[in-house]
Amino acid sequence: MGMEQTWRWYGPSDPVTLADIRQAGATGIVTALHEVPIGEIWTEEAILERKRHIEWDDSVNPCKPRGLKWTVIESIPVHEDIKQGKPSRNAWIEKYKQSIRNAGKAGIPVVTYNWMPVVDWTRTNLEMELEDGAKALQFNMSEYIAFDLYILRRKNAEKGYTGEQIKAAKRTFESMSSERRYILQNNIIAGLPGGQEGYSIDDFRKRLEEYDVITPEVYRENLAYFLKQVVPVAIESGVRLAIHPDDPPISLFGLPRVVSTESDLQYIVNVVDSIYNGLCVCTGSLGVRPDNDLPGIVERLGDKINFLHLRSTQRSIDGSFHEASHLRGDVDMYNVIVAVLKEQKKRHAANRQDEAIPMRADHGHTILDDLEKKTNPGYSAIGLLRGMAELRGLELGIEKSGVVYK
């Protein structure tokens, strides 16, 4: 059995429609109730209403199935009080538990979440022009440091960088127009698709200061506390949790990051040893670090993988990177998918109900006539269609080669 092909959909206002997604060949939808405030309960009624909209076309009479199902929730955001271990965390955790129960009642099998503090996935440039004219997402290290030092003006920020990095960032900042500086600020703190929220500069500084006393060790302990509370509820509800890696998998703004390496992932799955305490393996996020052996991670932690984001990034020597096409860049996608299919073979032999791991092509390039349309950065229809087609073809080629069965 192949991987379950899914697509990230941002709800009824997404420029990519459910009909578009079905024509692209996906059968699973990955989405969230973005309108629910962070930390508040996702009611069973709201989940079922969105599920009905995904799975049935009520615009015709009689209504007809769309050929889609809501496979993965991405994401139910974790309230900052939980991450920081504040006294109020237990009340927020109880709400999170109820959201998991309601997802289970609605029959949605996977819930993704992340443990990134303050900022979600981060890029400095949403329209990096490639040689062929396509546009890609980029994290430029000098631009990021320039923002930190000269726009945000974070206290003691310079202590986290080398002299050469500071010089490069100053040159970058001085070369930027006021418009480019404004765009950079918005890209980092105004919130990208799927991110939890945007901030003003002052609010952002205040949020960062709340983490001044939280070490990576304490932050990891707070995650363990959260998991010990919610995983038993996930087990009872039949909902497999999947934590998304830090993106990028490095410390930003001096914040603790504890989901960046294989050892981080191993710690997480050891907190509660259950397939319901699982991973979302994002090859693009983890692949930014050259010390992350992606095929090895899939081989060693495969039984805990509940969701896959398949994309590739191209690293630069200074720590910058951009989104490469899905079969290029620094990710060994061939051996990643070989390892995934071998894991699915093991699950089949063990009669696991979650044999087909849901995957989605992640962060496509903006290409063709999508260049002239309003799209969610990284989620234009044609770019993701290309990525899905490439991954689908690679998977089929691997299956036909028989390498998985040797």
Side-chain angles (χ1 to χ4, degrees), residues 89-104:
R89 69 177 169 181
N90 287 333
W92 291 111
I93 287 174
E94 288 305 314
K95 291 186 176 184
Y96 204 94
K97 290 178 183 178
Q98 190 57 49
S99 293
I100 292 173
R101 293 188 187 101
N102 292 340

Side-chain angles (χ1 to χ4, degrees), residues 299-358:
E299 290 171 8
R300 291 182 286 274
L301 298 174
D303 66 322
K304 298 299 196 304
I305 295 175
N306 290 330
F307 190 27
L308 289 161
H309 289 181
L310 298 180
R311 62 182 171 90
S312 186
T313 48
Q314 184 69 56
R315 300 186 293 263
S316 299
I317 194 168
D318 68 345
S320 302
F321 64 89
H322 69 269
E323 307 283 356
S325 61
H326 287 77
L327 302 187
R328 295 290 183 265
D330 294 307
V331 171
D332 182 1
M333 195 64 74
Y334 171 84
N335 281 309
V336 166
I337 294 184
V338 168
V340 170
L341 296 179
K342 286 183 176 180
E343 168 59 28
Q344 291 193 155
K345 182 184 174 186
K346 293 178 186 176
R347 295 186 183 195
H348 178 77
N351 292 316
R352 280 180 57 166
Q353 297 300 307
D354 60 340
E355 172 186 341
I357 301 174

Side-chain angles (χ1 to χ4, degrees), residues 125-130 134-138 187 371:
N125 188 352
L126 308 185
E127 296 185 328
M128 175 189 178
E129 188 164 336
L130 302 175
K135 292 183 179 179
L137 303 173
Q138 179 194 36
N187 289 348
L371 288 164

